[in-house]
Amino acid sequence: MVVAPKLGSAEDIVLDEVTVTPASHNTEIWVSEPQPTPKSSVTQAGIDLLGGAGQTSLYAPLNLVPSFNYESPDPYGLSPTRNINIRGKSDFHVTRNIEGLPVTGIVGGTDLIDLENVAQVDVYRGGMPANQGLGMSNATGAVDQLLLAPQEKFGVIGKQALGSFGFRRSFARIDTGKQSTTGTSAFISGSTSATDKWKGTGDISRDNVMLGVSQQLGDRVKLDLDVVYNKFSGHTYRPLTYSQVQNLHANYDFDYNAALTGNAATDANYYDANRTEYENYAALAKIDFKLAERQHLLLKPYYWNDDGVIYSANGSNVQKWRQQNDNLGGVLEYQGRFGSHTNLVVGYWAQSMAPPPPPTDQTLNRVNADGSLSFVRRSTLAKIDPFIVNSPYFQLTETIGQTVVNGGLRYMDLGVPKMQYYKTAGLPGVSYDQIWAYNPTPDTNAATVEKNYGEFLPNFGIRQQFNAEWGASVSYGRRFGRPDWGPQASNYISKEAAFVAKGITLQTLVNRVKPELSDQIDLSASYKNGGFNIISTLFGAKNQNRQVMVTDPSLGGLSYFQGTAKTTQYGIEFEAGYQLNDSLSFFGSGTVASETYDEDTPTLAGGKNLATKGKQIPNTAHTLFKGGLIYRWRDLAISPIVRNVGKRYGDSAQTEDVKGYTVFDLNASYRIWHDIRLSMSLQNVFNREYVSQISANDFSLNSATAYYVGAPRTLAFTLSGRF
């Protein structure tokens, strides 16, 4: 649902702080501001409705936003197996922020924040202000969670959910209210969630604790601090091959083996040998120094630690990938408002990220007769220094009557460290810290030097409000996508002997990847009259240095990655809402999008180019149509929702086509007494069998694509109360 356009943009205007309180009657699902650099914001009502009974997935509440498509085999959003697509581009280059900060790394971990602690989720699909979308990659777009601050009054929120496939979730949050003596306000929340997989054998669980504190320090300084702990353990869903997709009904329940056979090659696909475990700690703070009226200096440090392990079938063995990531960074930012028309933001973002990627510690293991694992050999061993980011920026917004003009510039300096891999033959199966006592031999062919990538990222936009009904805007923005050094290095290590025989070192291949650059243009018009409102946007982009995976016939079929592709992206999207009366409202969005390769793809050895010109990138639906309604009668609210996803391809050669699908969901809630409610969520009402997630990244040119099916009909109930 959209609302009347507003002049100015929330991220560009310095205002006195407003504490967000939980909305009990807001019927708006999402709010779009057609600004010079547009964004859509999912409200608390939308988060509550679309986040489902799980209330953990960052992406689930965004699935009705224009051009946004979220897919997962997990009906509750607990599993990290999922992907998204924005305007036809995959989520590989999406920045996922919390309070504008890239807290989590780019590999590892699961959703940190319970959605009950989120006040709003912002989505940037086109160009974006220089002070937004901070992160290693924003070439696809940015998603930013804004937290629900500690409340002014004491309060308790409690929830208990039960649903299909053994789903259960408990959540509680306590707000202390603002203390009269110290001025301190705080909250603490906790949740525990678990479900069985809807097919095959195995389960998924998640436990979360969060603490938030807000403290005024004198008249000019305010401190906000949030700390969160998250623990996840889950068995993974097994994907289908394209051949299996051709007989979808017969293979819909295909999954990992429920029993051991005693054959190690078969037992690599035993369900308990295919699982993921993560333990995460994170903290973020904001210290607001009020220099003068409407003049603020903000210091926003953050830290994230991830300790995880992924077990997955690899041929006749099981690969164990140990992930230990540290992410430390901060933003120093000045925000100033001059007069009633001018807003200025000047800032500096810095970050250190310890790998992976690429993987530094991987082993291959055999499944024993009792299901335990025995070490076979170490497959990857490396030392990689932290990646360093330095990024200054500024953003200026000027309001002249009914016209808003904004523009800004960010410089992105990404420091990629040297990488040194080691020969693994004969090394024992000890921990990463212990292995160095065995003096492993450096692999001279698998080493790279440190390098800096630097790019200027400008943005500019104009918004004109013609009258109370009509408005229009135009914007341009350049976005950045980090070179994907991880798959390049892992692919080389797995086929090193073949590459060395061709005289190719890891440095040769790393030199073939570059930062992806995306130049985005948006033209939008908005109309509002009474209860009806609509926004329509034409968008286009030229993308360069797109990273693609090439299977090179001139090198005997060896595969590698290179950042040489150019693509053209264009489309149209609309979003509309109609408030018929106090009881009934309608909302919907639609997108027609395309991204195709501009030319054939050259190969490393100068052999025959791969025929990609004019082909659509994988996992891009040309059409997306989504909509629904909210009907309220006394204490009852009912909201049916429909999503139609058009035809997609699993490969760039367009030999693996996947049929589109339509899915209906139904949500309802009933206020039992005061703020005690019983809610129902019924997903996939008609039990449609369809392909949901397609795992092929948009840079893959081969056909080794994994297909995940959507969950069947899923019913859940939630009892919630506010006191």
Side-chain angles (χ1 to χ4, degrees), residues 622-644:
H622 281 289
T623 58
L624 286 174
F625 296 102
K626 302 169 286 186
L629 62 87
I630 298 177
Y631 175 71
R632 296 179 181 275
W633 182 71
R634 295 184 179 179
D635 293 323
L636 176 67
I638 299 175
S639 180
I641 293 172
V642 60
R643 293 184 298 113
N644 175 267

PDB file of all heavy atoms in Angstrom, residues 622-644:
ATOM      1  N   HIS A 622      10.357 -12.605 -15.547  1.00  0.00           N
ATOM      2  CA  HIS A 622      10.023 -11.405 -16.317  1.00  0.00           C
ATOM      3  C   HIS A 622       8.855 -10.660 -15.677  1.00  0.00           C
ATOM      4  O   HIS A 622       8.756  -9.432 -15.792  1.00  0.00           O
ATOM      5  CB  HIS A 622       9.664 -11.780 -17.757  1.00  0.00           C
ATOM      6  CG  HIS A 622      10.849 -12.059 -18.619  1.00  0.00           C
ATOM      7  ND1 HIS A 622      11.706 -11.073 -19.042  1.00  0.00           N
ATOM      8  CD2 HIS A 622      11.324 -13.213 -19.144  1.00  0.00           C
ATOM      9  CE1 HIS A 622      12.658 -11.606 -19.792  1.00  0.00           C
ATOM     10  NE2 HIS A 622      12.451 -12.906 -19.866  1.00  0.00           N
ATOM     11  N   THR A 623       7.963 -11.383 -15.016  1.00  0.00           N
ATOM     12  CA  THR A 623       6.780 -10.744 -14.441  1.00  0.00           C
ATOM     13  C   THR A 623       6.583 -11.158 -12.995  1.00  0.00           C
ATOM     14  O   THR A 623       6.794 -12.316 -12.625  1.00  0.00           O
ATOM     15  CB  THR A 623       5.512 -11.110 -15.242  1.00  0.00           C
ATOM     16  OG1 THR A 623       5.355 -12.538 -15.254  1.00  0.00           O
ATOM     17  CG2 THR A 623       5.613 -10.605 -16.676  1.00  0.00           C
ATOM     18  N   LEU A 624       6.174 -10.192 -12.176  1.00  0.00           N
ATOM     19  CA  LEU A 624       5.798 -10.422 -10.787  1.00  0.00           C
ATOM     20  C   LEU A 624       4.521  -9.624 -10.521  1.00  0.00           C
ATOM     21  O   LEU A 624       4.489  -8.408 -10.753  1.00  0.00           O
ATOM     22  CB  LEU A 624       6.885  -9.939  -9.822  1.00  0.00           C
ATOM     23  CG  LEU A 624       8.176 -10.736  -9.672  1.00  0.00           C
ATOM     24  CD1 LEU A 624       9.148  -9.958  -8.776  1.00  0.00           C
ATOM     25  CD2 LEU A 624       7.894 -12.095  -9.070  1.00  0.00           C
ATOM     26  N   PHE A 625       3.486 -10.305 -10.038  1.00  0.00           N
ATOM     27  CA  PHE A 625       2.257  -9.615  -9.665  1.00  0.00           C
ATOM     28  C   PHE A 625       1.839 -10.106  -8.283  1.00  0.00           C
ATOM     29  O   PHE A 625       1.723 -11.317  -8.051  1.00  0.00           O
ATOM     30  CB  PHE A 625       1.149  -9.871 -10.689  1.00  0.00           C
ATOM     31  CG  PHE A 625       1.464  -9.315 -12.048  1.00  0.00           C
ATOM     32  CD1 PHE A 625       1.908 -10.150 -13.072  1.00  0.00           C
ATOM     33  CD2 PHE A 625       1.339  -7.957 -12.301  1.00  0.00           C
ATOM     34  CE1 PHE A 625       2.213  -9.646 -14.323  1.00  0.00           C
ATOM     35  CE2 PHE A 625       1.642  -7.438 -13.557  1.00  0.00           C
ATOM     36  CZ  PHE A 625       2.072  -8.276 -14.567  1.00  0.00           C
ATOM     37  N   LYS A 626       1.611  -9.153  -7.385  1.00  0.00           N
ATOM     38  CA  LYS A 626       1.304  -9.501  -5.999  1.00  0.00           C
ATOM     39  C   LYS A 626       0.253  -8.537  -5.471  1.00  0.00           C
ATOM     40  O   LYS A 626       0.272  -7.335  -5.802  1.00  0.00           O
ATOM     41  CB  LYS A 626       2.577  -9.398  -5.146  1.00  0.00           C
ATOM     42  CG  LYS A 626       3.715 -10.282  -5.636  1.00  0.00           C
ATOM     43  CD  LYS A 626       5.019  -9.966  -4.932  1.00  0.00           C
ATOM     44  CE  LYS A 626       5.622  -8.679  -5.416  1.00  0.00           C
ATOM     45  NZ  LYS A 626       6.969  -8.424  -4.839  1.00  0.00           N
ATOM     46  N   GLY A 627      -0.650  -9.051  -4.660  1.00  0.00           N
ATOM     47  CA  GLY A 627      -1.661  -8.163  -4.114  1.00  0.00           C
ATOM     48  C   GLY A 627      -2.525  -8.846  -3.079  1.00  0.00           C
ATOM     49  O   GLY A 627      -2.416 -10.047  -2.823  1.00  0.00           O
ATOM     50  N   GLY A 628      -3.410  -8.060  -2.488  1.00  0.00           N
ATOM     51  CA  GLY A 628      -4.300  -8.598  -1.476  1.00  0.00           C
ATOM     52  C   GLY A 628      -5.222  -7.526  -0.944  1.00  0.00           C
ATOM     53  O   GLY A 628      -5.314  -6.410  -1.483  1.00  0.00           O
ATOM     54  N   LEU A 629      -5.886  -7.841   0.128  1.00  0.00           N
ATOM     55  CA  LEU A 629      -6.800  -6.898   0.761  1.00  0.00           C
ATOM     56  C   LEU A 629      -6.810  -7.148   2.259  1.00  0.00           C
ATOM     57  O   LEU A 629      -6.393  -8.210   2.745  1.00  0.00           O
ATOM     58  CB  LEU A 629      -8.212  -7.005   0.176  1.00  0.00           C
ATOM     59  CG  LEU A 629      -8.959  -8.341   0.329  1.00  0.00           C
ATOM     60  CD1 LEU A 629      -9.729  -8.430   1.643  1.00  0.00           C
ATOM     61  CD2 LEU A 629      -9.921  -8.537  -0.834  1.00  0.00           C
ATOM     62  N   ILE A 630      -7.283  -6.148   2.982  1.00  0.00           N
ATOM     63  CA  ILE A 630      -7.497  -6.272   4.421  1.00  0.00           C
ATOM     64  C   ILE A 630      -8.946  -5.889   4.701  1.00  0.00           C
ATOM     65  O   ILE A 630      -9.389  -4.779   4.347  1.00  0.00           O
ATOM     66  CB  ILE A 630      -6.557  -5.362   5.224  1.00  0.00           C
ATOM     67  CG1 ILE A 630      -5.097  -5.751   4.993  1.00  0.00           C
ATOM     68  CG2 ILE A 630      -6.883  -5.451   6.718  1.00  0.00           C
ATOM     69  CD1 ILE A 630      -4.110  -4.852   5.698  1.00  0.00           C
ATOM     70  N   TYR A 631      -9.673  -6.806   5.299  1.00  0.00           N
ATOM     71  CA  TYR A 631     -11.065  -6.542   5.661  1.00  0.00           C
ATOM     72  C   TYR A 631     -11.192  -6.631   7.180  1.00  0.00           C
ATOM     73  O   TYR A 631     -10.768  -7.609   7.805  1.00  0.00           O
ATOM     74  CB  TYR A 631     -12.008  -7.555   5.012  1.00  0.00           C
ATOM     75  CG  TYR A 631     -13.436  -7.404   5.460  1.00  0.00           C
ATOM     76  CD1 TYR A 631     -14.193  -6.311   5.050  1.00  0.00           C
ATOM     77  CD2 TYR A 631     -14.015  -8.330   6.325  1.00  0.00           C
ATOM     78  CE1 TYR A 631     -15.512  -6.146   5.486  1.00  0.00           C
ATOM     79  CE2 TYR A 631     -15.328  -8.187   6.761  1.00  0.00           C
ATOM     80  CZ  TYR A 631     -16.066  -7.086   6.337  1.00  0.00           C
ATOM     81  OH  TYR A 631     -17.356  -6.911   6.772  1.00  0.00           O
ATOM     82  N   ARG A 632     -11.764  -5.585   7.753  1.00  0.00           N
ATOM     83  CA  ARG A 632     -11.942  -5.525   9.203  1.00  0.00           C
ATOM     84  C   ARG A 632     -13.428  -5.420   9.540  1.00  0.00           C
ATOM     85  O   ARG A 632     -14.144  -4.582   8.977  1.00  0.00           O
ATOM     86  CB  ARG A 632     -11.186  -4.325   9.788  1.00  0.00           C
ATOM     87  CG  ARG A 632      -9.683  -4.409   9.626  1.00  0.00           C
ATOM     88  CD  ARG A 632      -8.973  -3.196  10.200  1.00  0.00           C
ATOM     89  NE  ARG A 632      -7.539  -3.294  10.012  1.00  0.00           N
ATOM     90  CZ  ARG A 632      -6.714  -3.935  10.824  1.00  0.00           C
ATOM     91  NH1 ARG A 632      -7.191  -4.523  11.910  1.00  0.00           N
ATOM     92  NH2 ARG A 632      -5.426  -3.994  10.567  1.00  0.00           N
ATOM     93  N   TRP A 633     -13.852  -6.259  10.459  1.00  0.00           N
ATOM     94  CA  TRP A 633     -15.227  -6.215  10.966  1.00  0.00           C
ATOM     95  C   TRP A 633     -15.171  -6.412  12.470  1.00  0.00           C
ATOM     96  O   TRP A 633     -14.813  -7.476  12.971  1.00  0.00           O
ATOM     97  CB  TRP A 633     -16.076  -7.294  10.307  1.00  0.00           C
ATOM     98  CG  TRP A 633     -17.506  -7.278  10.759  1.00  0.00           C
ATOM     99  CD1 TRP A 633     -18.460  -6.352  10.463  1.00  0.00           C
ATOM    100  CD2 TRP A 633     -18.121  -8.238  11.626  1.00  0.00           C
ATOM    101  NE1 TRP A 633     -19.643  -6.667  11.086  1.00  0.00           N
ATOM    102  CE2 TRP A 633     -19.483  -7.822  11.804  1.00  0.00           C
ATOM    103  CE3 TRP A 633     -17.678  -9.403  12.263  1.00  0.00           C
ATOM    104  CZ2 TRP A 633     -20.374  -8.536  12.587  1.00  0.00           C
ATOM    105  CZ3 TRP A 633     -18.573 -10.108  13.046  1.00  0.00           C
ATOM    106  CH2 TRP A 633     -19.902  -9.678  13.204  1.00  0.00           C
ATOM    107  N   ARG A 634     -15.433  -5.306  13.170  1.00  0.00           N
ATOM    108  CA  ARG A 634     -15.320  -5.300  14.627  1.00  0.00           C
ATOM    109  C   ARG A 634     -13.923  -5.752  15.048  1.00  0.00           C
ATOM    110  O   ARG A 634     -12.939  -5.113  14.705  1.00  0.00           O
ATOM    111  CB  ARG A 634     -16.422  -6.147  15.242  1.00  0.00           C
ATOM    112  CG  ARG A 634     -17.823  -5.576  14.999  1.00  0.00           C
ATOM    113  CD  ARG A 634     -18.894  -6.382  15.711  1.00  0.00           C
ATOM    114  NE  ARG A 634     -20.211  -5.792  15.474  1.00  0.00           N
ATOM    115  CZ  ARG A 634     -21.340  -6.281  15.957  1.00  0.00           C
ATOM    116  NH1 ARG A 634     -21.328  -7.393  16.707  1.00  0.00           N
ATOM    117  NH2 ARG A 634     -22.499  -5.683  15.694  1.00  0.00           N
ATOM    118  N   ASP A 635     -13.802  -6.871  15.746  1.00  0.00           N
ATOM    119  CA  ASP A 635     -12.498  -7.315  16.247  1.00  0.00           C
ATOM    120  C   ASP A 635     -11.823  -8.336  15.333  1.00  0.00           C
ATOM    121  O   ASP A 635     -10.790  -8.904  15.690  1.00  0.00           O
ATOM    122  CB  ASP A 635     -12.657  -7.929  17.641  1.00  0.00           C
ATOM    123  CG  ASP A 635     -13.074  -6.898  18.673  1.00  0.00           C
ATOM    124  OD1 ASP A 635     -12.594  -5.747  18.579  1.00  0.00           O
ATOM    125  OD2 ASP A 635     -13.894  -7.232  19.550  1.00  0.00           O
ATOM    126  N   LEU A 636     -12.410  -8.560  14.172  1.00  0.00           N
ATOM    127  CA  LEU A 636     -11.874  -9.548  13.235  1.00  0.00           C
ATOM    128  C   LEU A 636     -11.207  -8.848  12.051  1.00  0.00           C
ATOM    129  O   LEU A 636     -11.747  -7.876  11.512  1.00  0.00           O
ATOM    130  CB  LEU A 636     -12.994 -10.451  12.730  1.00  0.00           C
ATOM    131  CG  LEU A 636     -12.621 -11.492  11.663  1.00  0.00           C
ATOM    132  CD1 LEU A 636     -11.683 -12.541  12.259  1.00  0.00           C
ATOM    133  CD2 LEU A 636     -13.875 -12.148  11.094  1.00  0.00           C
ATOM    134  N   ALA A 637     -10.034  -9.331  11.646  1.00  0.00           N
ATOM    135  CA  ALA A 637      -9.342  -8.833  10.459  1.00  0.00           C
ATOM    136  C   ALA A 637      -8.947 -10.024   9.598  1.00  0.00           C
ATOM    137  O   ALA A 637      -8.397 -11.015  10.106  1.00  0.00           O
ATOM    138  CB  ALA A 637      -8.109  -8.025  10.834  1.00  0.00           C
ATOM    139  N   ILE A 638      -9.239  -9.936   8.296  1.00  0.00           N
ATOM    140  CA  ILE A 638      -8.927 -11.013   7.358  1.00  0.00           C
ATOM    141  C   ILE A 638      -8.145 -10.419   6.193  1.00  0.00           C
ATOM    142  O   ILE A 638      -8.510  -9.361   5.662  1.00  0.00           O
ATOM    143  CB  ILE A 638     -10.206 -11.699   6.847  1.00  0.00           C
ATOM    144  CG1 ILE A 638     -10.983 -12.317   8.004  1.00  0.00           C
ATOM    145  CG2 ILE A 638      -9.868 -12.771   5.812  1.00  0.00           C
ATOM    146  CD1 ILE A 638     -12.313 -12.911   7.594  1.00  0.00           C
ATOM    147  N   SER A 639      -7.075 -11.107   5.771  1.00  0.00           N
ATOM    148  CA  SER A 639      -6.250 -10.612   4.677  1.00  0.00           C
ATOM    149  C   SER A 639      -5.813 -11.757   3.764  1.00  0.00           C
ATOM    150  O   SER A 639      -4.850 -12.462   4.065  1.00  0.00           O
ATOM    151  CB  SER A 639      -5.012  -9.889   5.222  1.00  0.00           C
ATOM    152  OG  SER A 639      -4.207  -9.417   4.160  1.00  0.00           O
ATOM    153  N   PRO A 640      -6.514 -11.951   2.645  1.00  0.00           N
ATOM    154  CA  PRO A 640      -6.019 -12.896   1.630  1.00  0.00           C
ATOM    155  C   PRO A 640      -4.967 -12.218   0.757  1.00  0.00           C
ATOM    156  O   PRO A 640      -5.058 -11.017   0.466  1.00  0.00           O
ATOM    157  CB  PRO A 640      -7.272 -13.229   0.823  1.00  0.00           C
ATOM    158  CG  PRO A 640      -8.152 -12.036   0.991  1.00  0.00           C
ATOM    159  CD  PRO A 640      -7.844 -11.437   2.331  1.00  0.00           C
ATOM    160  N   ILE A 641      -3.961 -12.981   0.328  1.00  0.00           N
ATOM    161  CA  ILE A 641      -2.847 -12.459  -0.476  1.00  0.00           C
ATOM    162  C   ILE A 641      -2.543 -13.447  -1.593  1.00  0.00           C
ATOM    163  O   ILE A 641      -2.567 -14.663  -1.385  1.00  0.00           O
ATOM    164  CB  ILE A 641      -1.596 -12.245   0.400  1.00  0.00           C
ATOM    165  CG1 ILE A 641      -1.838 -11.125   1.422  1.00  0.00           C
ATOM    166  CG2 ILE A 641      -0.374 -11.910  -0.451  1.00  0.00           C
ATOM    167  CD1 ILE A 641      -0.728 -10.979   2.432  1.00  0.00           C
ATOM    168  N   VAL A 642      -2.236 -12.922  -2.767  1.00  0.00           N
ATOM    169  CA  VAL A 642      -1.881 -13.757  -3.909  1.00  0.00           C
ATOM    170  C   VAL A 642      -0.563 -13.273  -4.501  1.00  0.00           C
ATOM    171  O   VAL A 642      -0.298 -12.066  -4.558  1.00  0.00           O
ATOM    172  CB  VAL A 642      -3.003 -13.743  -4.981  1.00  0.00           C
ATOM    173  CG1 VAL A 642      -3.245 -12.331  -5.495  1.00  0.00           C
ATOM    174  CG2 VAL A 642      -2.667 -14.682  -6.130  1.00  0.00           C
ATOM    175  N   ARG A 643       0.256 -14.217  -4.922  1.00  0.00           N
ATOM    176  CA  ARG A 643       1.523 -13.901  -5.589  1.00  0.00           C
ATOM    177  C   ARG A 643       1.628 -14.712  -6.875  1.00  0.00           C
ATOM    178  O   ARG A 643       1.436 -15.930  -6.855  1.00  0.00           O
ATOM    179  CB  ARG A 643       2.728 -14.231  -4.696  1.00  0.00           C
ATOM    180  CG  ARG A 643       2.861 -13.366  -3.463  1.00  0.00           C
ATOM    181  CD  ARG A 643       4.120 -13.684  -2.688  1.00  0.00           C
ATOM    182  NE  ARG A 643       4.145 -15.056  -2.190  1.00  0.00           N
ATOM    183  CZ  ARG A 643       4.984 -15.995  -2.607  1.00  0.00           C
ATOM    184  NH1 ARG A 643       5.871 -15.738  -3.560  1.00  0.00           N
ATOM    185  NH2 ARG A 643       4.948 -17.211  -2.086  1.00  0.00           N
ATOM    186  N   ASN A 644       1.935 -14.027  -7.965  1.00  0.00           N
ATOM    187  CA  ASN A 644       2.157 -14.694  -9.249  1.00  0.00           C
ATOM    188  C   ASN A 644       3.579 -14.413  -9.708  1.00  0.00           C
ATOM    189  O   ASN A 644       3.968 -13.248  -9.864  1.00  0.00           O
ATOM    190  CB  ASN A 644       1.159 -14.203 -10.297  1.00  0.00           C
ATOM    191  CG  ASN A 644       1.449 -14.783 -11.673  1.00  0.00           C
ATOM    192  OD1 ASN A 644       2.157 -14.187 -12.479  1.00  0.00           O
ATOM    193  ND2 ASN A 644       0.910 -15.966 -11.946  1.00  0.00           N
TER     194      ASN A 644
END
